Structure formats: structure tokens, C-alpha cells
Amino acid sequence: MPQSPHAQFDQTVLDMIEHSPIGAVPHTPAYRDAVERLYASHQVYADADHKDGHVTVHSLAKRPLFHANNLEQLTAGQIGAEALEPNAAIFDRYVQSLPETLRAKAESQRLRVVGRSIHHRKHHGASAAPFVHDAMHSLFLVPGAGVHPGLPGNYLYGSVFEVNPKITPSPWAVHIHDADDGAALLDAADLPAAVAKLQEVLESAPFHLSELAALGFRSN
């Protein structure tokens, strides 16, 4: 197959973005066209940390993934979902991985990403307290982008969680979000299927949310 006439110039622009501290390129028509081609081929995403900047997939591939540190034990059946690393601790590790200049901005997203802690009401009365099943909700963060840029550090965030089985025939789900309203959603029949899909997501990072259609996700 003949090489695209733009290939050499696009590679030059890709290298320029890769080595720029703010992911910047000149604002000329030729450079804009090259950037558009790089976006279309999913080699470059909008940089969450620099206005009008870009970030390469190659650079994002070097960044760590964050999920419950004992997820493998859950998959192997060695622990129950209640023993998974808490979401707040996972988010803490993500924040600490960032440059100090980005940590305050990341912390401002904690409530959106981690959510509020669930507080159970104390049981009153003489009878024994009924068994309460706490639905699983486990956070993960991966480098990438969506319709909008990701969180500081160019991270998408998502969760594997248990849905109320009374309202859906698929009681488990995997959802992934950018920093705004972009999302990729997937329903799963059981916990093993949900965790297996999460493993596929982790192995596929970095990615654009639209690329997850290949793994069976739908857009919001």
C-alpha cells in the first residue's frame, strides 16, 4: 500500500507534540490539518492539563493504571468484594502520582470520582438486625480521553459496580467517563464477566472512549 503523502509531515508533528512540555504546535493551516489527521487516527488526544495542547498516545502509554490493588485476589476467589481496596485509597494513589502542580485540581474532582461514603443507619429494636448486602463499587483510572479531555494527568475514570437486580436483567456494569459528560457503558451478567471486561479495558489503555465499542461498550 502506498504511503500517505502526509505521513512524513504528520510524524514530524507527532514528534513535536511528544517533546513539547505543553503539547503545542504552530497555528498554521498545515499544522492544523496534520493534528486533525492525528486525532482521527487516535494517535493524539486533547491535553487535559494545557489549554489548546495535545498529548500523544505514546506518552500516555507510559503512565500507570489505578485500580483496587487486590483485584487479582477477587478474580481468583481468594477474597470477597467487601475486602477490595477502598475507592478513596485508589484515588489517593492517583493523586500522588501526579506532579504537585496538578494535585489540587485532581483533588477538586474527588467527590465526582469517588462519591460519598455510604453510612448505614443503626438498627433499633429487640429483634436481630437483618443482613445488609453492600453493593460493590470499585474505582479505576486509566490514561485516555473522550469527547472531552480527561482528569488531570489525562486520566479517564470508571467503576465496576453492582446494579439493583430488581430493575435490570444485567446486575453488573462497567462505566468509564471523561472529565465532562462523555462515557462508555457496558452491562454484564455477573461479577466474573464484569471483572473480565475490566481486565480488557486495563490491557487496552490508553484509548479514546469511542474505541471501546470494539470491546462491546456503548456510548452514553
Side-chain angles (χ1 to χ4, degrees):
M1 179 180 294
Q3 189 178 46
S4 164
H6 304 294
Q8 185 172 352
F9 184 64
D10 289 357
Q11 183 61 51
T12 298
V13 176
L14 188 65
D15 292 341
M16 184 180 296
I17 294 171
E18 177 90 13
H19 295 100
S20 168
I22 59 173
V25 297
H27 296 287
T28 66
Y31 280 95
R32 286 199 300 268
D33 290 347
V35 169
E36 287 181 6
R37 291 190 293 270
L38 292 171
Y39 271 75
S41 61
H42 297 297
Q43 296 183 73
V44 165
Y45 305 141
D47 191 340
D49 303 324
H50 302 99
K51 182 176 173 57
D52 299 323
H54 317 284
V55 60
T56 68
V57 169
H58 180 262
S59 66
L60 293 184
K62 303 173 185 177
R63 301 189 181 178
L65 311 176
F66 299 95
H67 54 78
N69 57 18
N70 49 358
L71 185 63
E72 290 184 2
Q73 289 94 316
L74 175 71
T75 306
Q78 298 170 354
I79 62 170
E82 70 283 352
L84 280 172
E85 181 184 15
N87 289 342
I90 298 169
F91 192 80
D92 286 344
R93 291 195 283 112
Y94 151 68
V95 172
Q96 289 304 309
S97 76
L98 299 173
E100 288 191 13
T101 54
L102 297 179
R103 291 178 186 174
K105 185 177 179 182
E107 279 291 349
S108 72
Q109 298 297 315
R110 181 180 288 270
L111 184 59
R112 172 211 289 265
V113 177
V114 178
R116 298 182 185 276
S117 299
I118 298 173
H119 299 285
H120 298 291
R121 290 178 294 176
K122 184 177 180 181
H123 176 73
H124 296 283
S127 61
F131 174 76
V132 177
H133 172 74
D134 289 331
M136 172 181 152
H137 183 280
S138 189
L139 175 69
F140 62 90
L141 300 103
V142 296
V147 178
H148 311 282
L151 299 174
N154 295 286
Y155 276 85
L156 301 169
Y157 72 96
S159 58
V160 175
F161 62 96
E162 190 174 4
V163 184
N164 187 340
K166 295 180 180 179
I167 63 174
T168 175
S170 300
W172 290 88
V174 183
H175 289 186
I176 310 175
H177 306 267
D178 59 27
D180 201 321
D181 59 0
L185 319 171
L186 180 132
D187 303 320
D190 51 34
L191 175 58
V195 173
K197 189 57 64 173
L198 171 58
Q199 294 287 9
E200 286 188 60
V201 168
L202 297 175
E203 292 167 2
S204 301
F207 49 74
H208 189 279
L209 286 179
S210 63
E211 296 179 274
L212 291 180
L215 297 182
F217 284 79
R218 66 185 185 278
S219 298
N220 63 330

PDB file of all heavy atoms in Angstrom, residues 191-206:
ATOM      1  N   LEU A 191     -20.443 -10.940  38.269  1.00  0.00           N
ATOM      2  CA  LEU A 191     -19.181 -10.329  38.673  1.00  0.00           C
ATOM      3  C   LEU A 191     -17.998 -10.827  37.845  1.00  0.00           C
ATOM      4  O   LEU A 191     -17.190 -10.001  37.391  1.00  0.00           O
ATOM      5  CB  LEU A 191     -18.937 -10.574  40.160  1.00  0.00           C
ATOM      6  CG  LEU A 191     -17.591 -10.086  40.711  1.00  0.00           C
ATOM      7  CD1 LEU A 191     -17.404  -8.597  40.478  1.00  0.00           C
ATOM      8  CD2 LEU A 191     -17.485 -10.412  42.202  1.00  0.00           C
ATOM      9  N   PRO A 192     -17.841 -12.134  37.605  1.00  0.00           N
ATOM     10  CA  PRO A 192     -16.700 -12.574  36.783  1.00  0.00           C
ATOM     11  C   PRO A 192     -16.680 -11.929  35.399  1.00  0.00           C
ATOM     12  O   PRO A 192     -15.614 -11.543  34.902  1.00  0.00           O
ATOM     13  CB  PRO A 192     -16.892 -14.093  36.699  1.00  0.00           C
ATOM     14  CG  PRO A 192     -17.635 -14.437  37.938  1.00  0.00           C
ATOM     15  CD  PRO A 192     -18.577 -13.286  38.171  1.00  0.00           C
ATOM     16  N   ALA A 193     -17.844 -11.774  34.782  1.00  0.00           N
ATOM     17  CA  ALA A 193     -17.902 -11.151  33.458  1.00  0.00           C
ATOM     18  C   ALA A 193     -17.514  -9.681  33.535  1.00  0.00           C
ATOM     19  O   ALA A 193     -16.812  -9.165  32.658  1.00  0.00           O
ATOM     20  CB  ALA A 193     -19.302 -11.300  32.869  1.00  0.00           C
ATOM     21  N   ALA A 194     -17.954  -9.001  34.585  1.00  0.00           N
ATOM     22  CA  ALA A 194     -17.625  -7.582  34.745  1.00  0.00           C
ATOM     23  C   ALA A 194     -16.136  -7.390  34.975  1.00  0.00           C
ATOM     24  O   ALA A 194     -15.503  -6.506  34.382  1.00  0.00           O
ATOM     25  CB  ALA A 194     -18.429  -6.990  35.900  1.00  0.00           C
ATOM     26  N   VAL A 195     -15.542  -8.221  35.835  1.00  0.00           N
ATOM     27  CA  VAL A 195     -14.105  -8.101  36.124  1.00  0.00           C
ATOM     28  C   VAL A 195     -13.281  -8.473  34.896  1.00  0.00           C
ATOM     29  O   VAL A 195     -12.253  -7.844  34.610  1.00  0.00           O
ATOM     30  CB  VAL A 195     -13.730  -8.974  37.335  1.00  0.00           C
ATOM     31  CG1 VAL A 195     -12.216  -8.994  37.527  1.00  0.00           C
ATOM     32  CG2 VAL A 195     -14.402  -8.446  38.591  1.00  0.00           C
ATOM     33  N   ALA A 196     -13.728  -9.471  34.135  1.00  0.00           N
ATOM     34  CA  ALA A 196     -13.016  -9.850  32.909  1.00  0.00           C
ATOM     35  C   ALA A 196     -13.013  -8.687  31.920  1.00  0.00           C
ATOM     36  O   ALA A 196     -12.012  -8.418  31.246  1.00  0.00           O
ATOM     37  CB  ALA A 196     -13.654 -11.084  32.289  1.00  0.00           C
ATOM     38  N   LYS A 197     -14.136  -7.975  31.830  1.00  0.00           N
ATOM     39  CA  LYS A 197     -14.194  -6.824  30.929  1.00  0.00           C
ATOM     40  C   LYS A 197     -13.293  -5.703  31.431  1.00  0.00           C
ATOM     41  O   LYS A 197     -12.624  -5.027  30.632  1.00  0.00           O
ATOM     42  CB  LYS A 197     -15.628  -6.332  30.796  1.00  0.00           C
ATOM     43  CG  LYS A 197     -15.835  -5.280  29.730  1.00  0.00           C
ATOM     44  CD  LYS A 197     -15.391  -5.755  28.349  1.00  0.00           C
ATOM     45  CE  LYS A 197     -16.213  -6.930  27.838  1.00  0.00           C
ATOM     46  NZ  LYS A 197     -15.874  -7.272  26.431  1.00  0.00           N
ATOM     47  N   LEU A 198     -13.253  -5.510  32.741  1.00  0.00           N
ATOM     48  CA  LEU A 198     -12.334  -4.515  33.287  1.00  0.00           C
ATOM     49  C   LEU A 198     -10.898  -4.855  32.927  1.00  0.00           C
ATOM     50  O   LEU A 198     -10.118  -3.963  32.557  1.00  0.00           O
ATOM     51  CB  LEU A 198     -12.487  -4.430  34.811  1.00  0.00           C
ATOM     52  CG  LEU A 198     -11.438  -3.579  35.537  1.00  0.00           C
ATOM     53  CD1 LEU A 198     -11.423  -2.151  35.017  1.00  0.00           C
ATOM     54  CD2 LEU A 198     -11.683  -3.598  37.042  1.00  0.00           C
ATOM     55  N   GLN A 199     -10.528  -6.101  33.016  1.00  0.00           N
ATOM     56  CA  GLN A 199      -9.165  -6.511  32.653  1.00  0.00           C
ATOM     57  C   GLN A 199      -8.878  -6.171  31.191  1.00  0.00           C
ATOM     58  O   GLN A 199      -7.783  -5.708  30.852  1.00  0.00           O
ATOM     59  CB  GLN A 199      -8.973  -8.009  32.898  1.00  0.00           C
ATOM     60  CG  GLN A 199      -9.033  -8.421  34.367  1.00  0.00           C
ATOM     61  CD  GLN A 199      -7.800  -8.009  35.158  1.00  0.00           C
ATOM     62  OE1 GLN A 199      -6.945  -7.274  34.684  1.00  0.00           O
ATOM     63  NE2 GLN A 199      -7.715  -8.481  36.394  1.00  0.00           N
ATOM     64  N   GLU A 200      -9.855  -6.364  30.302  1.00  0.00           N
ATOM     65  CA  GLU A 200      -9.681  -5.999  28.891  1.00  0.00           C
ATOM     66  C   GLU A 200      -9.453  -4.501  28.754  1.00  0.00           C
ATOM     67  O   GLU A 200      -8.618  -4.050  27.959  1.00  0.00           O
ATOM     68  CB  GLU A 200     -10.911  -6.404  28.080  1.00  0.00           C
ATOM     69  CG  GLU A 200     -11.060  -7.876  27.806  1.00  0.00           C
ATOM     70  CD  GLU A 200     -12.201  -8.134  26.838  1.00  0.00           C
ATOM     71  OE1 GLU A 200     -12.160  -7.623  25.700  1.00  0.00           O
ATOM     72  OE2 GLU A 200     -13.145  -8.844  27.232  1.00  0.00           O
ATOM     73  N   VAL A 201     -10.210  -3.718  29.517  1.00  0.00           N
ATOM     74  CA  VAL A 201     -10.071  -2.259  29.481  1.00  0.00           C
ATOM     75  C   VAL A 201      -8.677  -1.847  29.931  1.00  0.00           C
ATOM     76  O   VAL A 201      -8.009  -1.027  29.282  1.00  0.00           O
ATOM     77  CB  VAL A 201     -11.146  -1.599  30.368  1.00  0.00           C
ATOM     78  CG1 VAL A 201     -10.847  -0.116  30.577  1.00  0.00           C
ATOM     79  CG2 VAL A 201     -12.526  -1.777  29.745  1.00  0.00           C
ATOM     80  N   LEU A 202      -8.211  -2.420  31.031  1.00  0.00           N
ATOM     81  CA  LEU A 202      -6.893  -2.080  31.548  1.00  0.00           C
ATOM     82  C   LEU A 202      -5.799  -2.434  30.548  1.00  0.00           C
ATOM     83  O   LEU A 202      -4.838  -1.678  30.358  1.00  0.00           O
ATOM     84  CB  LEU A 202      -6.644  -2.808  32.869  1.00  0.00           C
ATOM     85  CG  LEU A 202      -7.581  -2.448  34.039  1.00  0.00           C
ATOM     86  CD1 LEU A 202      -7.299  -3.334  35.240  1.00  0.00           C
ATOM     87  CD2 LEU A 202      -7.466  -0.983  34.410  1.00  0.00           C
ATOM     88  N   GLU A 203      -5.944  -3.575  29.896  1.00  0.00           N
ATOM     89  CA  GLU A 203      -4.943  -4.009  28.921  1.00  0.00           C
ATOM     90  C   GLU A 203      -4.966  -3.162  27.657  1.00  0.00           C
ATOM     91  O   GLU A 203      -3.968  -3.112  26.921  1.00  0.00           O
ATOM     92  CB  GLU A 203      -5.179  -5.478  28.563  1.00  0.00           C
ATOM     93  CG  GLU A 203      -4.895  -6.445  29.711  1.00  0.00           C
ATOM     94  CD  GLU A 203      -5.419  -7.848  29.459  1.00  0.00           C
ATOM     95  OE1 GLU A 203      -5.979  -8.077  28.354  1.00  0.00           O
ATOM     96  OE2 GLU A 203      -5.285  -8.696  30.355  1.00  0.00           O
ATOM     97  N   SER A 204      -6.086  -2.479  27.395  1.00  0.00           N
ATOM     98  CA  SER A 204      -6.234  -1.686  26.166  1.00  0.00           C
ATOM     99  C   SER A 204      -5.793  -0.236  26.325  1.00  0.00           C
ATOM    100  O   SER A 204      -5.646   0.474  25.330  1.00  0.00           O
ATOM    101  CB  SER A 204      -7.700  -1.706  25.712  1.00  0.00           C
ATOM    102  OG  SER A 204      -8.146  -3.022  25.471  1.00  0.00           O
ATOM    103  N   ALA A 205      -5.607   0.219  27.556  1.00  0.00           N
ATOM    104  CA  ALA A 205      -5.246   1.623  27.786  1.00  0.00           C
ATOM    105  C   ALA A 205      -3.844   1.916  27.256  1.00  0.00           C
ATOM    106  O   ALA A 205      -2.975   1.045  27.294  1.00  0.00           O
ATOM    107  CB  ALA A 205      -5.319   1.930  29.282  1.00  0.00           C
ATOM    108  N   PRO A 206      -3.644   3.164  26.765  1.00  0.00           N
ATOM    109  CA  PRO A 206      -4.592   4.276  26.682  1.00  0.00           C
ATOM    110  C   PRO A 206      -5.507   4.147  25.470  1.00  0.00           C
ATOM    111  O   PRO A 206      -5.161   3.484  24.489  1.00  0.00           O
ATOM    112  CB  PRO A 206      -3.666   5.491  26.550  1.00  0.00           C
ATOM    113  CG  PRO A 206      -2.465   4.953  25.826  1.00  0.00           C
ATOM    114  CD  PRO A 206      -2.286   3.548  26.326  1.00  0.00           C
TER     115      PRO A 206
END
